[in-house]
Amino acid sequence: MTKYIRRAAALCALLLLALLVNATRVQVFQSRVYDDNPANRRPEIARWGRPRGDIMVEGRPVTGSKDTGEQLRYERTYRDGPLYAPVTGFASQVYGTTFLEHARDSVLDGSDPLLSFLPLWNDIARDQNAGGEVVTTLQEAAQRAAYLGLGARRGAVAALEPATGRVLALVSRPSYDPGVLSGNGREVAEAWARLNGDASRPMLNRAVRQTYPPGSTFKVVTAAAALDAGVITDVDAPTRSPAPYTLPGTTTSLSNEVEGCENASLRYAFEWSCNTVFAKLGVDVGLGAMTDTARAFGFNDPGLRIPFSVAPSSFDTEMDRAQLALSSIGQYDTRATPLQMALVTAAVANGGSVRSPYLVERTTTASGRTVATSGAHTLRQAMTPATARHLRDLMRGVVEYGTGANAALRHATVGGKTGTAQHGIGNSGTPFAWFIGWAQSDDALEPGVAVAVVVEDAEAERGEISGGGDAAPIAREVMRAVLRNTD
Amino acid sequence: MTTKAGTTLAADPSDPSPPAVRLLRRRGVEFTLTVVAVLLSVYGYCAVGLAKNGTVPPGATDYGAGLGVLALLAHLVVRLRAPYADPLPLPIAVLLNGLGLVLINRLDLETPADQAAPAQLNWSTLGVALFITVVALLRDHRVLQRYAYVSVVAALALLALPILFPPVNGARIWVRISGFSIQPGEFAKVLLALFFASYLAANRNALAYAGRQIWRFKRLQLPTGRVLGPIVTIWLLSVGVLVLERDLGTSLLFFGLFVIMLYVATGRTGWIAVGLLLACVGAVAVGWLEPHVHSRVEDWLHPFASIEAGQGPNQLVQSLFAFAAGGPLGTGLGLGHSILIGFAVKSDFILATAGEELGLAGLAAIFLLYALLVERGYRTGLALRDPFGRLLATGLASIVALQVFVIAGGVTGLIPLTGMAMPFLAQGGSSVVTNWIIVALLIRLSDSARRQDDRGTLPQGPYDSAEGRGA
């Protein structure tokens, strides 16, 4: 019997050995297959198991984390959610992340390897870093001024520091509170459905993800092209342009909303926004030079990130001369985001060079050690410094004598350009009111702020709507806030 | 080798002096290891609290004291009534039971509405009480041989009992009386092993050597129906009842137990072949006809099918996720997410929590503890001289081994999943109590095995075979 007991024992040993071998297979050799299975909730539980790092505006967090005690433990909270929504985006346990929450997710959730002191240390120690912090370039006063300025109207504001490209304000209205999307309960699903079903599209980031016809504000680009190309050498000389202007190759004639545009000088045409002069200028400059200048300002660039992606602004590269004429006054197929138009005015304010815009000053660990910084760097030279000087002069005239008088500030030099963009089939829609501008404090060496404002549905009669009336006051308050803040 | 089989266990093999003179009792070793087992369990209990709340849990002293008192009482009764017993089974049982309590308590933290650890502690107390009763009252294991037929009737009755009660989660293996639920099939294990051991010990010669030879040149002989009949009937009855109740794990266990004990008793390899053949036929038939079994096999073959069908991961996949998440070293006690497995996480799937939080290292340690327990059982079987004792020790050890293999193999995807409790670890009162009785019997058997060398203490019984001393 002894022999058989030994054999039975050997069988049991074999069974236990099989268990060990199989456990090794599951836990070591095939663990990656199971870990990576999308149905495995562990990564998500780990992700929400620690509080996210915060997004900072001027040293104060605009986000927070709430311990819910649930399986997905920490929920995102927002201070002034609607105010900062176009910057922070949301961090939802169900619907993912957007904007900065998305673009700097690995820092905020602590998974970025840069957060550890030693590379691979966390893999060894099975440790997780606390979420890092994202310090933005925003100025709270400017953000607030833009938000309050837009009020209940649909529209957007983008403000930059011309010399660096730092984004000082990024506002879109109507807005929403990203906090309502944070958790994973039924009310989150309801909020999601409500926000997506809202005809006013509150989750649309109009400052960077919506393009509008830029209207007359695009005349800055056309003027820059004309000056750079030498089509205009003297801003005060008559331009030999008819009014009304018959679009080349067609019988359509283009007219102006103001008097005195026939053979007007560039200065007059700029200050009073003569369509005829700029349409003809664009045609005179030619498609090649116009597209080159537009591209140098940042049009047709699908790769712009601040660090989240910005919808590309477009200037058509294949047009006949009539289309080019319309494009040169910001109509036809020309489309721009408010951020793009802020870049245009910032380039003028900054001697012609376009600084790459950025929203994240630096990222740090939870304890404040800097992980990465964003530096200012030049994207392109949009025009010669001389042309930039001329344009600054012209833009100042718009505010001092022309359509942009509403943007004027005391103790500061302000340059600007108004725009009223027709849109819709047969231009039936309520026009968009634009204002782009820059401001330089009297005691400063260079302009401190460049801003672009678009108001979609100003509650004004169609005939009254204009960039100068609706958009310029908002721009003024934003510029005032920035200049005051800088003092 | 056989000449020394009885003596190698009795004393340290390196000890040159004759074992009969220098028989070591080893109670000090048992005491030390038991204390270590209690301390390890308390450490685990504290580790869970520290990981979850950052503080030593308030119940730590109560838990430690409770487990310590139980272990100490068990140790004392062994010291007094079975002084020559193997020193390993008790500390192993204490450690596994303590670890089980830690794991169940840890999972209780995730399910505040459903606390299982207090009940498990009560059942463990009952288990230890029965352990003490068995060790204290059962002076000679051979007494049990007299109750072979009583125990088989009791086993069948217990097995049949749940048919009268409604099924729970597809299996009809529970008896619920006023909120109290037990699995009678668990107790039937021991009773059936007792019967098999007794019957086979009495009839092994008839089974091995008499009967018709069906294959002339091989030694495959069918015993006469008169000898084989009763035992096959009992076995078929028990397995049949279990199939009716859809208790796959236990029917697998009974089948394995029967084949192993028959093989050990008769030494006929042919029995293994016949057994496997029957098993295959039975398994295919059941797998074909029984949708419950069929789906288990499907789950085993295609664990990700439910995910691909958009129904989310099933329990088996969640269990595999847990094991995989543990990796070689585990996440640490209290830091895993095996709760995702769902309702059976504290019972059938308790090993997944161990696998995730203690890792492969912890799992290997647990398997080795079971292996050690099984090995001590087999050693006792080898050391004993009476066929009944040998068969009983072998059977009990095999029960432990088969239980571990069936459930651990199931939750790690090695074999199709069948419900079964991990001995001592899993939530389940009947299982804990039964396994404590198994350990008590092993203690008694090992005491007898070593005592028989201590001349005169255990008189040679009528069933003693010559094999123990080498034939």
Side-chain angles (χ1 to χ4, degrees), chain B residues 376-430:
Chain B
R376 300 319 282 191
Y378 274 102
R379 289 239 161 188
T380 301
L382 285 169
L384 279 164
R385 273 176 247 143
D386 66 304
F388 169 70
R390 310 192 94 186
L391 282 170
L392 185 58
T394 305
L396 295 174
S398 305
I399 289 179
V400 175
L402 288 170
Q403 285 185 110
V404 170
F405 179 73
V406 166
I407 185 59
V411 296
T412 55
L414 181 63
I415 57 170
L417 183 67
T418 54
M420 168 77 62
M422 201 75 197
F424 294 111
L425 277 187
Q427 174 203 3
S430 321

Side-chain angles (χ1 to χ4, degrees), chain B residues 43 46-49 83 91 112-113 198 226 232 244 257 289 299 343 374 406:
Chain B
Y43 172 74
C46 295
V48 170
S198 174
R226 193 181 299 174
V232 170
L244 272 183
L257 180 66
L289 298 173
D299 283 348
F343 76 87
V374 173
V406 166

Side-chain angles (χ1 to χ4, degrees), chain A residues 1-9 11-12 14-16 18-20 22-28 30-35 37-42 45-46 71 73 126, chain B residues 1-2 204 263-264 267 304 307 313 320-327 330 337-338 340 355-356 359-360 363-364 367 371 378 382 390 394 401 404-405 408-409 412 414 467:
Chain A
M1 204 191 266
T2 304
K3 185 167 76 178
Y4 310 124
I5 294 178
R6 287 185 187 279
R7 283 192 186 158
L11 172 75
C12 290
L14 212 64
L15 293 182
L16 284 161
L19 287 180
L20 268 179
N22 185 56
T24 311
R25 176 186 70 89
V26 173
Q27 298 203 266
V28 179
Q30 286 199 309
S31 63
R32 186 48 62 90
V33 176
Y34 295 116
D35 288 344
N37 190 295
N40 195 342
R41 297 222 335 136
R42 282 174 181 74
I45 293 171
Q71 197 174 57
R73 192 164 162 190
R126 276 185 175 266
Chain B
M1 196 143 182
T2 42
R204 54 193 283 267
Y263 173 73
V264 169
F304 291 125
I307 296 174
L320 291 172
F321 284 167
F323 280 106
H337 300 289
S338 54
L340 293 169
E356 178 167 9
L360 183 60
L363 207 57
F367 286 155
Y378 274 102
L382 285 169
R390 310 192 94 186
T394 305
V404 170
F405 179 73
T412 55
L414 181 63
E467 265 187 40

Side-chain angles (χ1 to χ4, degrees), chain B residues 120 123 127 181-187 189-190 403 420-438:
Chain B
Q120 184 75 357
W123 282 110
S181 81
I182 54 171
Q183 283 188 41
E186 291 282 346
F187 304 112
K189 288 173 195 168
V190 183
Q403 285 185 110
M420 168 77 62
M422 201 75 197
F424 294 111
L425 277 187
Q427 174 203 3
S430 321
S431 169
V432 168
V433 169
T434 307
N435 283 298
W436 271 112
I437 294 174
I438 289 176

